[in-house]
Structures are given as C-alpha cells and as structure tokens.
C-alpha cells in the first residue's frame, strides 16, 4: 500500500515537471524571430525525446528479435 | 632539478610491495599510493622530462602539458575510488594487476615518444587481462583469451605503424600524424587502427562488451576507465580534426545504445554504454575545434567517474546476489536502497541531467557539432543521449531494483568500503556538475561555453522527461529475455571455430594423404636400391605380367602362367638374397677415394684447360 501511494506522488511530480518544462521552453524561446522557429525550438526536445525513445526501443527490439538475439548457449552449439 | 616522480612508476613499482604487506597495513598502503600520485601531480610542471637516449633515439617518459595532466588527474582520482571499492578483495594478484594497469595507463598518458607509448600500451593490455581472468570462471577465461588476442592484434598494428612512421620520418616523436588518402599515409592508418581498437570503435569494439562483463566485480570497475580513455587521449594527440572520427563517433554512440537495449546482463548493458559514451569523445576529436576538443576531454574526465560509479553499482548487486542477468533480478530496492540511490547519481550523470557531471561535458560536444553546422551528427548525438538515459538511467535500475513485486532473492547492503567508494565517486559526479569551473579550469583551451544557459537546461530536461514517458509506456518491452546478442565477435568466434575445424579435418586429411604417398615412394626407392639388379628384373617381370595378364591373353597364350611363376621366384629371391652390408667406415673410405680421384682429374685437366 505504502509503495502505491509513493508511486502516485512521484507521477504527480512527473506530470508537473512535464508541463513546467514545456512552459519553460515556450518562455525561453519567446524572443525567436518567427513563429515557426519559436514553436520548433520550444518543444523540439520534448517531441524528439519521446519519439526517439519509442523508436530506439521498437527498432532495437525488432533487430534483436529477428536477427541478433540467440539462445544463451549459441556459441557452445555452433 | 625535477622535484617529482613519474606517477606511473609510483603505481608500477608501488604494486610490487602489495604482496609483501598484510592486513591493515596493506589496505592503508594501497589507499596511500593514489594519494601520493595525486600530490605528485600537483608538483609537476609543464615540459619534457625523463628523457633517455636509447641507441640513436630519445625516449621521453615525461611529456607534461595540460592535456596529459588532466588525464593523469582523473586517472589518479578514479584509481583512489576504485582501490577503495576493491579494498576487501583478498587476492593480492588482483590488486597488483590493477595497480600495474593504472600505472601503465599513466605511462601512456605521459609518453612523449612512440616507443615508450608502445611499451606502456602493451603492459596495459596484459595487466588488464588478469582483472578478467581472476573471476576464475570458464566464461571469463575464454573471454580473457579473446580479449588479449584482439589487443595483441591491435598492438601489432600499432607497432607496424610506428615502424613505418620511424622509417619514413626518422623520428619517434609522438605528435599529430599526417592524414590524407594514399599510400604515403600507411603508417598513420596502422597507428590509427591500433588506437581505434582500444577506443572500442565498431566494428572493432566487440572485445569490450565480450570481456568486461566477465571480469571480477572490482576488476571491471578498473577496466571501465583506462583502456578506452587512454585511447581517447592518444587520438586527441595524434588525430585531431580527422573527419572520419566524427562519423565513426556518431555511429558508435547509437550502436552502443541499440545493443544496450538488447543486453540481458547488467554489466554488459553498461559496457555498451561505455562504447556509446566514447562516441561523443570521438565526435569531438573529429570536429577538432578548441571547444570540441575541450568537450571531448571534459567528457572523458566525467565518463571515467560516472562509468566507474555505474559499474560499482551493478558490481555491488552481483557481489551480494551473485546475479547480473535481468531475467534473474528484480525487486531488490527493499534490500539495497542505498546502492540504488548511489547508482542513480551515476545514471543521472551519464544521462546528462542538469546538475550532474555528464551535463556539463556532453552538451559541450553536442553544442560544438551544432556550431559546425552538422545537423545529422547533432541529431544522432541527441538520440544517443535519449538512449543512454533509457538504458543506464531507466532500464537497468528498473529491472534490477523494481519490476517485480517481491525481491527475487534475499540480499543485504555490500561491505562498507564499497559503499564509501560509491559515495566518494557520486560526490565527485555531483560536484563537477554543480561547479563545472573546477573542471573547465583544467582544460587545455580557455572555455567560453556556459552549460547552464536556460535553453540548454530546458532542452535537456524536456529530452529526458519525455524519454521517461516513452519508457514508461513501453517498459514491458524492455524486460530481459534469456538470450545473448550476436556482435562482431561472431566473426572471430565462429570463424575461429571453423578455422580449427578446417585445420583438423580437411587439412589433416590432405596432409596425411601427401605424407602416405611420399612414404610409399620412399619405401619403393629403398626397396629398389637394396638390390637394383633383381628389383629391375622384378619390375620388368611385373610389367610383362601386367601386359599379358588380361583374360584374353591368358586364353590365347597358355605359357602366361610361366611368367607369373617367374615373378614369384624373383620376389622370393629379392627378399632372400643376402645384401652385402658394408661398415660405415668403408663407405666413407669409398667416398674419400671418389673425391681423391675427382681431385686428381680436376687438378690435371682443370689446369690443362686453363
């Protein structure tokens, strides 16, 4: 029970951090000359972080699953 | 007058006393050595010292400048933390190997010429081998053999390059090598190959991910720092501004991350992270601007410390539970909360979270890629940063300390010296992050980079926070599977086996065939020469029998049977006929007579002919 409450709190903090980081990005880059550059600079890292993470996991696992991952005694048997 | 000792020699000769001492004295002594080396370093002044003429060349063991000093400092500091971590180990051999390893790494750092560089380079390879072998498992012994074979190959490449270099230039100076395309740069190619093998650049990197996870718990901590970072050091010295390194480095950073995602062994995951981190340093060296080189050095400095801390954390779990595979770990937070906390400091440092050491060095390299307008490189490095946080900062701790409701095994916190070592290293990781000027002041070029600019901090925070979101959604996919991942060591592991098979099967059959054939010929010559007269008769008779032996001839010529009988008779004769045996003296006499006759003929006719 105790662990669950802790996790809930941690996720609360996480959500706050996510929102704050986006807002801070918008704030810091508010002086960018064009609207496109502003939006791009402000949230690029957030988007890249999420998409990059998903891509790395999915692509790596696919490569491993279909090609590189073998049973543990592979080298003994080959 | 030189008021200081070569710090490498403090370790190398200091190591010899370790087996003599016992108990508390030994421990104190081992902790004192790195401190003495560190104090020694502060007394060092820039210049070239410790030069010895050997035949026509000048060996320089002490080239001291800002570049060698900063590497020496981090090596000495790290070796103190690592020694503290290894203090409880009873085997003297491990301590001696570790100290020789540190000492030779310092030897490489201060080497001012190629010969002394090569000397320490090889000591480093051999001393580190024992940190793997002391694990005393079958896997470690085999991995150790592969490790040393690869390093011997790298050493030979380096030596070949050095010899070519000395041949063409007549000097053994270790400075920037010529770079370009063409045969005239062959020496540089070989030297670079030797360096790249130690820097663990794919596809020459497999030795690292193969051997480090098989090393002893404390040995692996030492291994993380010196081989790859001395390689980075010599690359900075020899090949700055070589564009090839930018691409190799960026590919390396991504490569390490992908394999770390697939790894099922905690220390193998970290080994791939070492490769990935090395990628940043190579990119910096390849870009070659003062900011990029500064970034590479700073990153090497930070990497030595946080990589050691990460290996200490994974090592502590292995030490206390005997497990390092994710499929056998989980839920250990209940028993090892402080190891988790200390590990996470290293994890935040490697991920480049603001206020931790990786942030102030990694962003320097990434930023210099942006300054040089290399968008693809920049994206690859940022991607590798995501991956690094994913594997070392999320996957490993999640699967080790959480992921399961109940701990897989009972465990307790490790010995105090291990905790203390992790504490000191963790402190340094935070200290450098909070007070980067301490590190920036030691760098060879003046630093104009401000890591804590708002845009940097916010960009990095966004990157890592949203990486966490991606991880949390897909965390089930990251659970360990009982598999190994094939890497480029496949080529020599499988290739080696195939080669041995080729030697044992087809090659041996062929040679045996040739051997038998030759023996037969020799036998028949012996048989023939025993009695040439009868032998030739037999051969003739055999030929006649063979010619007339066909069924047609048999029916046509009843006299044929006579030939066969003759052959039998002759065969018997040959065997039975007593061969006159002559004593060896008689043989020599005959030969001498022959020579005398020849001499007489030669003297008379030879003279006449002239």
């Amino acid at each position: 029970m105790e662990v669950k409450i802790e996790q809930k709190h941690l996720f609360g903090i996480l959500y706050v951090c996510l929102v704050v980081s986006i807002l801070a990005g918008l704030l810091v880059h508010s002086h960018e000359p064009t609207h496109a550059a502003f939006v791009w600079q402000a949230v690029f890292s957030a988007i890249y972080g999420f998409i990059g993470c998903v891509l790395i996991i999915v692509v790596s696992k696919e490569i491993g699953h279909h090609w590189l991952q073998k049973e543990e005694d592979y080298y003994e048997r080959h | 007058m030189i008021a200081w000792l070569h710090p490498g020699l403090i370790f190398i000769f200091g190591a010899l006393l370790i087996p003599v001492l016992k108990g508390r004295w030994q421990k104190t002594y081992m902790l004192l050595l790195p401190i003495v080396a560190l104090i020694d370093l502060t007394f060092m002044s820039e210049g070239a010292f410790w030069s010895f003429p050997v035949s026509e060349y000048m060996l320089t063991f002490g080239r001291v400048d800002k570049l060698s000093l900063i590497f020496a400092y981090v090596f000495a500091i790290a070796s103190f933390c690592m020694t503290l971590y290894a203090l409880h180990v009873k085997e003297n051999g491990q301590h001696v190997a570790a100290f020789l390893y540190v000492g030779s790494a310092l030897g490489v750092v201060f080497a001012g010429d190629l010969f002394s560089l090569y000397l320490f380079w090889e000591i480093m390879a051999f001393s580190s081998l024992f940190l793997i072998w002391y694990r005393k498992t079958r896997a470690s012994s085999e991995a150790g053999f592969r490790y040393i074979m690869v390093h011997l190959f790298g050493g030979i490449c380096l030596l070949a390059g050095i010899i070519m270099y000395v041949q063409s230039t007549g000097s053994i100076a270790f400075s920037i090598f010529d770079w370009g395309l063409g045969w005239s740069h062959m020496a540089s190619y070989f030297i670079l190959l030797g360096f790249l093998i130690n820097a663990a650049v794919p596809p020459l990197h497999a030795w690292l991910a193969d051997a480090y996870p098989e090393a002893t718990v404390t040995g692996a901590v030492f291994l993380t720092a010196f081989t790859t970072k001395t390689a980075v050091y010599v690359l900075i010295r020899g090949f700055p501004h070589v564009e090839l390194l930018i691409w190799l480095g960026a590919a390396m950073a991504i490569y390490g991350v992908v394999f770390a995602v697939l790894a099922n062994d905690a220390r193998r995951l970290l080994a791939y992270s070492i490769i990935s981190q090395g990628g940043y340093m190579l990119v910096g060296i390849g870009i070659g601007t003062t900011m990029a080189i500064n970034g590479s050095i700073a990153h090497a400095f930070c990497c030595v410390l946080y990589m050691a801390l990460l290996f200490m954390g994974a090592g502590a779990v292995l030490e206390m539970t005997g497990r390092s595979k994710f499929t056998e770990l989980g839920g250990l937070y209940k028993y090892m909360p402080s190891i988790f906390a200390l590990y996470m400091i290293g994890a935040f440092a490697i991920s480049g979270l603001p206020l931790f050491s990786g942030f102030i060095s990694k962003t320097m390299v990434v930023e210099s890629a942006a300054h040089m307008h290399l968008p693809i490189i920049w994206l690859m490095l940022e991607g590798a940063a995501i991956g690094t946080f994913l594997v070392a900062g999320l996957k490993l701790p999640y699967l080790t300390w959480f992921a399961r409701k109940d701990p897989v095994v009972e465990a307790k916190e490790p010995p105090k010296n291990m905790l203390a070592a992790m504490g000191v290293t963790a402190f340094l990781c935070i200290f450098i992050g909070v007070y980067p000027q301490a590190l920036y002041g030691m760098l060879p070029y003046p630093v104009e980079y401000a890591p804590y600019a708002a845009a940097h901090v916010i960009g990095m925070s966004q990157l890592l926070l949203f990486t966490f979101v991606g991880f949390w959604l897909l965390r089930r996919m990251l659970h360990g599977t009982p598999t190994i991942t094939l890497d480029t060591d496949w080529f020599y592991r499988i290739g080696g086996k195939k080669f041995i098979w080729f030697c044992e099967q087809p090659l041996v059959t062929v040679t045996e065939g040739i051997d038998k054939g030759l023996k037969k010929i020799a036998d028949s010559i012996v048989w023939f020469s025993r009695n040439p007269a009868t032998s030739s008769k037999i051969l003739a008779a055999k030929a006649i029998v063979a010619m007339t032996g066909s069924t047609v001839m048999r029916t046509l010529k009843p006299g044929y049977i006579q030939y066969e009988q003759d052959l039998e008779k002759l065969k018997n004769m040959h065997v039975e006929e007593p061969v006159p045996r002559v004593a060896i003296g008689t043989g020599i006499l005959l030969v001498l007579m022959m020579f005398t006759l020849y001499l007489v003929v030669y003297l008379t006719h030879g003279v006449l002919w002239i």
Side-chain angles (χ1 to χ4, degrees):
Chain A
M1 204 59 204
E2 202 181 83
V3 176
K4 263 195 175 163
I5 293 165
E6 222 170 72
Q7 207 173 28
K8 222 189 210 170
H9 283 231
L10 284 175
F11 272 89
I13 296 169
L14 176 71
Y15 293 137
V16 172
C17 286
L18 291 175
V19 174
V20 166
S21 73
I22 296 285
L23 288 178
L26 294 171
L27 196 71
V28 165
H29 293 282
S30 56
H31 61 273
E32 292 290 337
T34 62
H35 182 72
F38 157 66
V39 175
W40 185 238
Q41 295 268 347
V43 292
F44 170 77
S45 289
I47 297 168
Y48 192 49
F50 180 74
I51 295 177
C53 177
V54 171
L55 270 181
I56 288 171
I57 296 178
V58 172
V59 173
S60 305
K61 279 289 172 186
E62 285 299 305
I63 294 173
H65 188 70
H66 293 293
W67 182 24
L68 293 174
Q69 281 185 319
K70 302 281 177 202
E71 9 8 297
E72 281 179 325
D73 58 349
Y74 175 85
Y75 281 115
E76 279 82 60
R77 292 196 295 108
H78 284 81
Chain B
M1 201 199 110
I2 305 171
W4 43 270
L5 281 165
H6 189 301
L9 298 184
I10 295 179
F11 280 95
I12 291 176
F13 289 108
L16 303 177
L17 264 182
I18 293 173
V20 181
L21 298 166
K22 284 208 167 63
R24 191 164 291 177
W25 286 106
Q26 189 192 46
K27 288 179 179 175
T28 319
Y29 173 73
M30 288 199 304
L31 283 178
L32 269 177
L33 276 184
I35 294 174
V36 169
L38 206 57
I39 295 169
D40 184 43
L41 280 171
T42 60
F43 281 107
M44 284 167 91
S45 48
E46 293 187 23
F49 306 95
W50 290 73
S51 297
F52 303 100
V54 173
S55 73
E56 60 200 288
Y57 300 110
M58 195 66 140
L59 297 190
T60 307
F61 286 95
R63 175 191 16 207
V64 187
D65 55 15
K66 280 195 139 181
L67 179 57
S68 49
L69 273 177
I70 189 168
F71 273 88
Y73 269 113
V74 73
F75 283 178
I77 295 168
S79 70
F80 173 80
C81 302
M82 294 163 177
T83 308
L84 183 59
Y85 185 78
L87 215 56
H88 63 282
V89 173
K90 296 275 186 295
E91 287 154 323
N92 288 333
Q94 269 204 64
H95 294 305
V96 173
F99 274 76
L100 286 177
Y101 181 43
V102 178
S104 51
L106 284 167
V108 168
V109 165
F110 286 115
D113 66 280
L114 293 169
F115 286 169
S116 52
L117 169 78
Y118 178 73
L119 173 76
F120 288 115
W121 197 262
E122 291 294 325
I123 301 177
M124 211 164 65
F126 275 98
S127 51
S128 55
L129 170 63
F130 287 91
L131 297 174
I132 300 162
W133 272 351
Y134 261 105
R135 182 90 179 275
K136 293 175 183 166
T137 60
R138 195 185 139 92
S140 73
S141 130
E142 290 177 355
F145 272 115
R146 289 192 292 273
Y147 172 86
I148 196 65
M149 294 296 260
V150 173
H151 280 288
L152 284 177
F153 173 72
I156 287 169
C157 290
L158 177 61
L159 184 62
I162 290 174
I163 291 170
M164 282 189 245
Y165 179 80
V166 174
Q167 278 262 310
S168 60
T169 62
S171 117
I172 58 167
F174 176 26
S175 50
I176 297 175
F177 298 104
D178 286 332
W179 187 253
L181 286 176
W183 290 102
S184 56
H185 300 289
M186 214 28 117
S188 304
Y189 297 159
F190 272 94
I191 293 174
L192 181 68
L193 188 62
F195 288 174
L196 289 184
I197 287 176
N198 269 28
V201 178
L204 310 167
H205 68 289
W207 59 268
L208 194 155
D210 178 23
Y212 283 13
E214 303 299 343
T216 64
V217 167
T218 56
V221 175
F222 278 95
L223 287 169
T224 58
F226 301 101
T227 304
T228 47
K229 300 309 171 291
T230 48
V232 167
Y233 166 81
V234 293
L235 284 170
I236 295 173
R237 276 255 184 255
F239 298 96
H241 219 295
V242 171
E243 201 190 331
L244 173 71
L245 295 182
I246 302 179
W247 294 99
L248 281 178
M252 184 174 167
I254 298 283
Y255 189 100
V257 161
V258 169
F259 277 76
V261 171
L262 297 176
N264 184 36
D265 185 292
R267 295 199 301 170
R268 188 154 280 127
L269 179 151
L270 293 176
Y272 278 115
S273 300
I274 299 181
I275 296 173
S276 175
Q277 293 304 300
Y280 287 90
M281 297 163 214
L282 253 69
V283 170
I285 300 167
I287 292 174
T289 56
T290 51
M291 178 181 173
I293 295 278
N294 265 348
S296 285
I297 299 166
H299 201 49
F301 193 102
C302 298
C303 186
V304 165
L305 294 170
Y306 61 63
M307 221 59 236
L309 179 56
L310 295 174
F311 262 82
M312 285 175 186
V317 173
L318 174 62
E319 176 89 2
M320 303 320 290
T321 64
R323 300 169 182 219
S324 64
K325 286 178 186 166
F326 294 128
T327 38
E328 300 168 0
L329 285 170
L332 289 174
Y333 181 76
K334 192 178 157 192
Y335 296 120
M336 307 174 109
S338 44
I339 291 294
F340 166 71
L342 289 164
Y343 173 90
M344 282 318 287
I345 292 174
F348 289 144
I350 193 177
S351 312
L353 202 74
L355 299 182
F356 294 88
S357 64
F359 177 73
I360 63 121
S361 58
K362 187 187 286 186
T363 51
M364 221 165 154
V365 176
V366 178
E367 191 69 12
S368 55
H371 280 192
M372 294 301 285
H373 304 292
L374 299 164
I376 298 173
I377 299 293
W378 186 85
L379 277 177
M380 285 170 87
L381 292 184
E382 287 286 89
I386 297 168
T388 304
F389 180 51
L390 174 68
V391 294
L394 297 170
K395 177 186 169 182
L396 192 153
Y398 176 70
L399 294 179
T400 306
W401 286 283
F402 305 99
R404 292 174 205 247
K405 265 194 182 145
D406 303 308
V408 280
V409 60
E410 258 190 53
K412 50 183 187 197
E413 297 275 9
K416 280 201 185 93
N417 65 303
M418 283 174 132
L419 278 172
M422 289 181 74
V424 174
T425 321
F427 167 77
L428 289 168
C429 288
I430 297 176
F431 176 74
I432 296 170
V434 175
Y435 184 62
Q437 283 71 25
L439 173 58
Y440 288 173
M442 291 160 74
L443 292 170
Y445 305 110
V447 180
E448 285 153 18
Y449 173 70
Y452 286 105
H456 288 156
V457 176
I458 290 163
M460 199 47 134
S461 308
Q462 283 186 355
L463 195 76
L464 299 184
L465 281 166
F466 281 86
T467 301
F468 181 84
V469 175
F471 161 76
W472 195 252
L473 293 176
L474 296 177
R475 65 187 187 281
R476 300 255 170 263
M477 281 183 79
L478 285 169
H479 275 277
T481 50
T483 51
I484 57 163
T485 313
L486 299 188
D487 205 340
T488 51
D489 54 344
W490 182 87
F491 291 101
Y492 51 80
R493 290 175 79 164
I494 297 296
K497 267 188 183 168
K498 290 263 151 52
F499 178 73
I500 297 289
W501 173 85
F502 175 76
C503 289
E504 279 175 351
Q505 301 297 327
L507 206 60
V508 167
T509 318
V510 171
T511 46
E512 268 179 356
I514 293 172
D515 203 36
K516 269 185 192 158
L518 284 177
K519 251 188 195 157
K520 236 179 199 170
I521 294 171
D523 282 349
S524 55
I525 290 172
V526 168
W527 171 80
F528 183 81
S529 61
R530 227 186 257 162
N531 193 338
T534 322
S535 308
S536 33
K537 268 188 206 163
I538 291 177
L539 285 179
K542 264 189 183 167
I544 291 167
V545 169
M547 276 196 299
T548 56
S550 62
T551 38
V552 186
M553 291 298 265
R554 230 178 258 208
T555 42
L556 282 179
K557 211 172 179 182
Y560 163 80
I561 207 85
Q562 188 61 39
Y563 291 120
E564 277 189 342
Q565 284 168 358
D566 279 357
L567 182 60
E568 285 308 308
K569 227 185 269 170
L570 279 170
K571 272 186 184 167
N572 289 338
M573 254 174 74
H574 185 70
V575 180
E576 284 165 9
E577 195 164 15
V579 184
R581 283 172 194 280
V582 209
I584 200 159
T586 325
I588 291 172
L589 187 70
L590 282 171
V591 170
L592 275 178
M593 278 164 64
M594 188 68 202
F595 272 120
T596 322
L597 192 68
Y598 180 78
L599 188 70
V600 170
V601 171
Y602 174 77
L603 283 179
T604 50
H605 281 81
V607 169
L608 278 179
W609 282 334
I610 289 167

